[in-house]
Amino acid sequence: HMPHLDMRQFMCRSDNYGVIIHDSKTGATASIDAPDAEAVEAELRKFGRQLTHIFTTHHHEDHVAGNLRLKELFGCKIIGPKNEAEKIPGIDTAVKGGDTFSWAGREVKVFDCPGHTRGHIAFYMPSEFSLFAGDTVFAMGCGRVNEGSMAEMWHSVNQFRPLPPVTHVYCGHEYTEANCRFALSVEPGNRDLQQRATVVAAQRARGEMTCPSTIGDELKTNPFMRCDSPEIRRHLKMETATDAEVFAELRHLKNSFK
Ligand code: ZN
Ligand code: FE
């Protein structure tokens, strides 16, 4: 049995999460995305670590801005999405949904998550019960649908529902408070959501990060994973619609929610 990886999450830019995962046995050290080279480097230096890999989820600037600088500093290898490989600075290895690879002796599974961007991927490490979801799933929310269709995004988000409920969900942004307000607006009677709102408000008041979340908590509180909720459907007057239609309506409403 292998000891778990050390995972450190930190804030960078304004609301981006950085995550550095480290295996003490092999020294393998990966940054999940690279929102800001200086912030990632500072976090590495704090613990005396050498970056060996970057796992890139998608091509947006706030996820790849640090790629080339970090590669220059550490000579790290960049693993990123095949379906938008041409947009990933410094990419060495292109992976797609269904691929698995080994990292620090652990299996990493790749999910395709089209919707936020055309080629967006997520990385899942079953042995660590950890999912690195990028801008596909947020705490109580999901990413904007910029490049794909609503149906694709619905599938991208919902493919995570069967993962073990204890799975940690590391996401790209601290958007939790705004997401929570929206979630309450469409499902005000959800007790788990009310409770989570209290926890999140206290965490933010103390300046703490609200993530990683878990699949179990998302199943109970994330409206985009709860398209079958009778209360949400009643609220939207969509009792007989498909889950994908409910998802699309929720995403439209969230786009203009204040
Ligand atoms: Zn993005
Ligand atoms: Fe982002």
Side-chain angles (χ1 to χ4, degrees):
H1 182 77
M2 273 184 239
H4 279 227
L5 297 176
D6 179 38
M7 301 203 185
R8 292 187 183 277
Q9 184 183 252
F10 54 97
M11 296 308 304
C12 46
R13 300 177 78 109
S14 55
D15 52 33
N16 276 84
Y17 281 121
V19 183
I20 291 171
I21 65 179
H22 172 76
D23 174 47
S24 54
K25 191 167 159 224
T26 61
T29 304
S31 179
I32 310 302
D33 286 327
D36 176 324
E38 276 184 33
V40 173
E41 191 196 351
E43 192 69 17
L44 289 162
R45 302 276 185 226
K46 263 197 227 169
F47 301 94
R49 286 170 190 171
Q50 296 291 319
L51 192 66
T52 60
H53 296 85
I54 298 172
F55 294 175
T56 300
T57 61
H58 67 293
H59 72 80
H60 284 161
E61 170 70 8
D62 61 314
H63 297 259
V64 301
N67 277 20
L68 294 181
R69 176 69 183 142
L70 289 167
K71 196 167 182 173
E72 183 183 297
L73 281 170
F74 296 100
C76 57
K77 295 286 183 219
I78 300 177
I79 302 169
K82 191 168 215 161
N83 291 337
E84 54 190 44
E86 72 286 354
K87 295 179 181 169
I88 310 298
I91 190 168
D92 296 289
T93 306
V95 293
K96 62 177 191 319
D99 287 353
T100 63
F101 62 92
S102 175
W103 186 83
R106 279 109 171 147
E107 183 186 38
V108 183
K109 294 187 181 187
V110 180
F111 285 95
D112 276 330
C113 315
H116 180 68
T117 65
R118 190 172 54 82
H120 195 301
I121 56 172
F123 298 91
Y124 173 50
M125 299 185 80
S127 66
E128 313 301 311
F129 294 98
S130 293
L131 173 71
F132 303 100
D135 285 358
T136 297
V137 178
F138 300 126
M140 293 174 274
C142 74
R144 277 179 183 270
V145 180
N146 296 312
E147 295 178 13
S149 68
M150 285 290 184
E152 282 176 317
M153 190 66 170
W154 177 77
H155 180 267
S156 294
V157 170
N158 278 272
Q159 70 186 325
F160 301 128
R161 289 174 61 174
L163 295 181
V166 296
T167 305
H168 288 102
V169 181
Y170 288 88
C171 58
H173 293 269
E174 173 67 55
Y175 290 158
T176 311
E177 263 188 318
N179 288 341
C180 190
R181 259 186 286 121
F182 175 73
L184 280 168
S185 79
V186 295
E187 206 180 19
N190 179 339
R191 291 281 181 86
D192 294 310
L193 184 55
Q194 295 163 5
Q195 254 175 32
R196 194 172 181 189
T198 308
V199 171
V200 162
Q203 285 174 318
R204 295 309 291 157
R206 294 192 296 263
E208 293 171 10
M209 297 182 280
T210 61
C211 293
S213 177
T214 65
I215 290 290
D217 283 346
E218 295 312 308
L219 289 175
K220 287 191 253 177
T221 60
N222 189 328
F224 298 98
M225 285 194 176
R226 296 175 56 75
C227 295
D228 53 353
S229 151
E231 186 183 356
I232 291 178
R233 284 166 164 267
R234 240 183 292 120
H235 180 87
L236 302 179
K237 301 188 170 56
M238 294 180 77
E239 279 98 336
T240 59
T242 64
D243 286 354
E245 288 166 342
V246 171
F247 178 92
E249 181 60 18
L250 287 170
R251 191 55 257 184
H252 284 304
L253 286 173
K254 175 67 169 67
N255 286 348
S256 51
F257 185 75
K258 292 274 181 289

